[in-house]
Amino acid sequence: MTTSGRSATRRKAPHVLAHAPFRRLWTAMGVCSLGDWLNIIAITAFAAYLTRSSGYQAQSFAIGGVFVVKMLPAIVLGPLAGAFADRFDRRLTMFCADLLRFVFVLSIPLVGSYQWVIVATLLVECVNLFWVPAKDATVPNLVPKDRLEEANQLNLLVTYGIAPVAAALFAVLSVVVETLGKAVPGMLWEPAHLALVVNAFAYLVSAFLIFTLKSIPKDHTTTVATPSVLRQIIDGWRFVGAERVVRGLVIGMLGAFAAGGAVIGVAKVYVVELGGGDPAYGTVFAAVFVGMALGIFFGPRLLRELSRRRLFGLAIVTAGVVLAATALIHNLPIVVMLVVVLGACAGIAWIIGYTLIGLEVEDHLRGRTFAFLQSLARVTLLLVVAVAPAIAGLFGKHELSAGPDIVYHFDGTNLVLVLGALLAIAVGVLALRHMDDRREVPIGSDLIAALRGERYVPESADQSQGVFIAFEGGEGSGKTTQSRLTAIWLRDQGFDVVQTREPGSTKVGMRLRAILLDAAHQGLSARSETLLYAADRAEHVEKVIRPALERGAMVICDRYVDSSLAYQGAGRELDQQDVARVNTWATGGLVPDLTVLIDTPPSVGLARLASPADRIEREPLEFHERVRREFRALAAAAPDRYLVVDGQQTQEQISLIIQDRLRELLPDPVPQETEAITGTMPAIRD
Ligand code: TYD
């Protein structure tokens, strides 16, 4: 039995969540993330509550203080924590971190002073810095490499997607506290009290999950031979600077963060300037998350054929352009839509950046790289969030008038957004230049091809010199005879003609042909059959076809890629796209200028065969019917590049039709008589 069945080729690998250890870690992440978001909402509400009697300004400062404290530890502790993740048992690190977070968060409502809110928040954030890189560095160890992108998507889903859930939970808890407050007269609890308790228990649940997750590998703890934590940090920093790709990734991700920071810093004011209130502000924020989710889930899928590195840079550049539009178009609904696109670009950049780091950075350095990135991202965010409103304020409000009724506002917020946009564009371009893995291919063509779901293959300039004609058809269709007659006709006119065929026109190809057509190899698997034909073709293109085309010859080839699409794709029922991809790679994307399809019903063609049937000819009639249908479908899909001739006409009639069509392709004037070069052509039967 062969392995060519449809089910065998189309069976999907199990979902990444089918890996039990990853599922458990993912659940822990979800629970923690719920806790983190609840923490942000509860802690700011709690800070506002504790300072409620000190006036509006003091209250704002109190909330601002919480944000600053939330981001500050990253500056000092970020890299240290990363080294920790690479050096120590990651499971133990996460478990202890969860227990500490539980204790610290629980202490906030119990102590109940603003000072303690600040201290405890600081402590929680310090602990977070150890938990996150340990988790990030563990994920690639728990899932197979090819599922890493999927795993990262799920991680980001729980990291950001859970924010609205946390907000809803906070609302529910508020209602619970209010109802309880009415029922129990002496109760002094605020919603934030309960939310913080729930938040603390979320970390406890995570601690339990992590504790039971025994499969987090410890190998890296023994293989790391670096002497000190400090040394590891220095190495980590050095590594990020030295690796071109990682440098590009880090620059890109930081740029995206800076641009994001600019938006956060001025969003509230900008929305008010556009005439929106709090609901509009909420909508803009929701739009960012919706966009990010869309980008994370659909972006990489939409542009599968585009190099990941290019997609990363392009996403950031696009984010910049969209941000500029956001700054300049003063219309709230349009701004909301643009913000969705902005979020989508950021989502694409993040998912790809994370995945690339997971794939390209060695295990023992990964923790530090993630930590380095996390800490720098926070610093950037902190700086930008602090500086952006200041710049906006300093610039003030300006009006440009082009006539009495046409007034264009350009305020500080617009300026900050434009600056953020320019930064994103510059950083995106820089990342592209650092990381580009397809320098020889123009990025525009690459993108257009990817949008169509294809991989762009550059046409080499010299290819156009010769003319490449392929003959295709089923068994006994008469194409071999016709290709020979065509070659003779062309030579008679003075063309340099190379007549060749597949499989078996090179030394290696002849051996492959023997394997492929030997009736003794009846059980050959469909995939190896495809690969062997493709191997023959790769050799053929490189050794025979391309050199001939480069010197300007006319190449007449009996069978080419379409035979594989028809016989292996349709006949063996393999995935067409897979067969096409393998062949595009094998041939470097070389496509005939014209393919002549001699279309003959298989029953007629097979009856014409005289000698004993080879391995393929022995296939049942339905197989050959499928082959014929596929040939016809290929021709119908690109009529400009095909000539379909009815193979049941006389030889002369067919030749005349082919010659008529070829005349359109021939160079004018016809070259002088040259010495015809004859390809090595063993007697072939159709
Ligand atoms: P061959 O004897 O050259 O016959 P034909 O005159 O029919 O071309 O045998 C080539 C066989 O290989 C033919 O049965 C078709 C098959 N084939 C594929 O299945 N896939 C391919 O890509 C090619 C080139 C040929």
Side-chain angles (χ1 to χ4, degrees):
M1 211 190 91
T2 67
T3 55
S4 63
R6 198 169 277 276
S7 59
T9 55
R10 295 258 164 94
R11 198 188 303 136
K12 275 197 74 169
H15 193 269
V16 66
L17 280 179
H19 299 265
F22 175 70
R23 193 169 57 236
R24 190 170 288 245
L25 180 67
W26 186 70
T27 313
M29 277 190 262
V31 175
C32 282
S33 173
L34 183 68
D36 292 342
W37 285 107
L38 204 55
N39 184 264
I40 293 179
I41 305 168
I43 210 118
T44 41
F46 200 52
Y49 165 73
L50 292 173
T51 52
R52 63 194 178 283
S53 50
S54 352
Y56 174 78
Q57 202 171 25
Q59 233 178 350
S60 313
F61 279 131
I63 297 172
V66 171
F67 276 120
V68 170
V69 164
K70 265 190 131 9
M71 289 194 242
L72 215 56
I75 303 170
V76 192
L77 270 181
L80 187 78
F84 214 83
D86 285 336
R87 195 172 165 79
F88 296 102
D89 187 332
R90 287 172 188 157
R91 174 170 153 257
L92 206 62
T93 308
M94 283 191 271
F95 174 69
C96 294
D98 272 334
L99 284 187
L100 286 173
R101 296 198 289 188
F102 167 68
V103 173
F104 293 148
V105 173
L106 198 60
S107 72
I108 298 174
L110 297 181
V111 175
S113 79
Y114 180 71
Q115 284 80 351
W116 185 248
V117 170
I118 292 295
V119 173
T121 302
L122 199 71
L123 291 172
V124 169
E125 281 311 310
C126 292
V127 174
N128 269 349
L129 288 177
F130 290 86
W131 196 92
V132 173
K135 177 265 291 175
D136 281 340
T138 299
V139 172
N141 290 331
L142 296 187
V143 295
K145 264 193 166 192
D146 58 337
R147 317 301 289 192
L148 196 54
E149 185 166 298
E150 210 176 311
N152 282 334
Q153 285 179 340
L154 287 170
N155 296 353
L156 288 174
L157 175 75
V158 287
T159 307
Y160 297 100
I162 231 147
V165 179
L169 182 59
F170 185 77
V172 171
L173 294 177
S174 310
V175 174
V176 170
V177 169
E178 272 169 29
T179 326
L180 275 180
K182 280 184 198 138
V184 187
M187 205 185 86
L188 291 175
W189 267 28
E190 279 292 301
H193 282 93
L194 185 59
L196 285 166
V197 173
V198 174
N199 170 202
F201 276 93
Y203 294 137
L204 195 63
V205 171
S206 167
F208 171 75
L209 287 170
I210 298 291
F211 186 74
T212 54
L213 193 72
K214 294 270 167 18
S215 48
I216 297 178
K218 293 184 184 167
D219 302 355
H220 58 274
T221 59
T222 47
T223 52
V224 174
T226 26
S228 73
V229 168
L230 191 70
R231 182 84 251 147
Q232 285 199 3
I233 297 170
I234 295 167
D235 284 354
W237 284 65
R238 225 185 253 156
F239 172 79
V240 170
E243 284 284 310
R244 209 176 156 78
V245 173
V246 181
R247 201 166 61 209
L249 280 170
V250 169
I251 293 173
M253 288 167 100
L254 290 182
F257 247 78
V263 178
I264 295 174
V266 300
K268 175 82 180 139
V269 184
Y270 190 44
V271 168
V272 172
E273 275 170 17
L274 294 180
D278 268 342
Y281 180 50
T283 312
V284 168
F285 256 89
V288 174
F289 284 111
V290 169
M292 272 185 78
L294 289 177
I296 286 167
F297 279 88
F298 298 113
R301 243 175 270 181
L302 270 184
L303 297 171
R304 276 225 177 281
E305 295 301 327
L306 194 66
S307 128
R308 302 289 84 180
R309 298 183 183 184
R310 284 195 151 179
L311 182 56
F312 174 77
L314 278 176
I316 296 174
V317 173
T318 314
V321 174
V322 174
L323 186 56
T326 311
L328 300 175
I329 300 173
H330 298 178
N331 176 303
L332 198 53
I334 295 181
V335 163
V336 170
M337 280 188 270
L338 288 174
V339 167
V340 174
V341 182
L342 190 68
C345 294
I348 295 175
W350 266 102
I351 183 77
I352 292 176
Y354 252 63
T355 308
L356 284 180
I357 289 182
L359 291 176
E360 309 231 355
V361 179
E362 286 172 40
D363 192 31
H364 68 283
L365 284 170
R366 210 182 289 133
R368 252 164 298 167
T369 311
F370 278 126
F372 175 74
L373 194 66
Q374 297 257 351
S375 50
L376 268 184
R378 280 165 192 239
V379 175
T380 315
L381 203 60
L382 187 68
L383 277 178
V384 176
V385 169
V387 169
I391 296 179
L394 281 177
F395 186 75
K397 291 182 172 239
H398 294 268
E399 281 182 1
L400 310 170
S401 66
D405 295 331
I406 309 162
V407 178
Y408 186 79
H409 295 273
F410 193 84
D411 303 339
T413 47
N414 303 110
L415 178 75
V416 167
L417 292 176
V418 168
L419 289 177
L422 292 179
L423 181 78
I425 294 172
V427 152
V429 170
L430 208 66
L432 266 178
R433 290 179 55 168
H434 263 83
M435 303 161 54
D436 199 357
D437 52 354
R438 278 168 63 81
R439 283 174 205 280
E440 73 289 354
V441 179
I443 198 158
S445 323
D446 216 13
L447 186 63
I448 292 167
L451 285 171
R452 281 202 228 107
E454 295 161 7
R455 184 131 182 123
Y456 180 79
V457 183
E459 268 182 48
S460 55
D462 44 26
Q463 184 189 312
S464 53
Q465 287 177 13
V467 179
F468 180 19
I469 299 157
F471 278 75
E472 298 281 10
E475 311 298 328
S477 59
K479 67 180 166 37
T480 303
T481 312
Q482 287 302 334
S483 62
R484 198 182 62 236
L485 292 173
T486 305
I488 294 170
W489 178 71
L490 286 170
R491 279 196 196 108
D492 284 348
Q493 297 181 61
F495 286 104
D496 172 5
V497 180
V498 172
Q499 190 192 352
T500 181
R501 66 151 180 191
E502 290 188 359
S505 284
T506 57
K507 264 192 184 166
V508 171
M510 276 162 49
R511 302 180 82 158
L512 292 172
R513 179 185 172 88
I515 299 172
L516 280 164
L517 298 184
D518 189 344
H521 298 151
Q522 205 58 42
L524 186 64
S525 83
R527 284 167 189 243
S528 36
E529 183 180 289
T530 308
L531 291 171
L532 289 173
Y533 276 116
D536 169 73
R537 189 162 295 131
E539 192 70 5
H540 190 206
V541 167
E542 185 171 317
K543 301 274 164 60
V544 180
I545 302 180
R546 263 196 212 279
L549 290 174
E550 275 165 23
R551 68 161 195 267
M554 309 217 45
V555 176
I556 306 290
C557 186
D558 189 352
R559 294 200 185 279
Y560 190 58
V561 174
D562 287 0
S563 279
S564 281
L565 293 171
Y567 282 84
Q568 280 67 52
R572 301 281 186 224
E573 295 183 285
L574 290 179
D575 189 299
Q576 278 298 4
Q577 287 208 341
D578 288 344
V579 178
R581 238 187 296 246
V582 165
N583 276 282
T584 306
W585 185 72
T587 60
L590 181 67
V591 179
D593 297 295
L594 178 72
T595 298
V596 179
L597 171 61
I598 314 278
D599 181 42
T600 314
S603 50
V604 176
L606 288 167
R608 286 179 187 166
L609 300 178
S611 46
D614 64 30
R615 198 176 60 85
I616 302 227
E617 288 162 1
R618 283 173 181 211
E619 291 295 333
L621 191 62
E622 311 88 76
F623 175 94
H624 294 285
E625 293 285 4
R626 281 201 296 279
V627 170
R628 182 190 187 200
R629 272 201 298 278
E630 181 61 26
F631 273 134
R632 289 163 65 117
L634 288 167
D640 294 351
R641 284 199 299 105
Y642 283 84
L643 170 68
V644 184
V645 195
D646 176 359
Q648 286 175 284
Q649 305 174 79
T650 64
Q651 241 179 44
E652 291 73 26
Q653 281 172 323
I654 298 176
S655 295
L656 283 176
I657 297 171
I658 295 173
Q659 288 164 13
D660 269 353
R661 180 71 168 80
L662 282 188
R663 279 196 192 90
E664 297 167 16
L665 276 181
L666 299 181
D668 203 19
V670 169
Q672 288 303 300
E673 188 92 13
T674 53
E675 200 180 328
I677 297 162
T678 320
T680 43
M681 283 293 297
I684 301 172
R685 63 196 179 82
D686 248 316

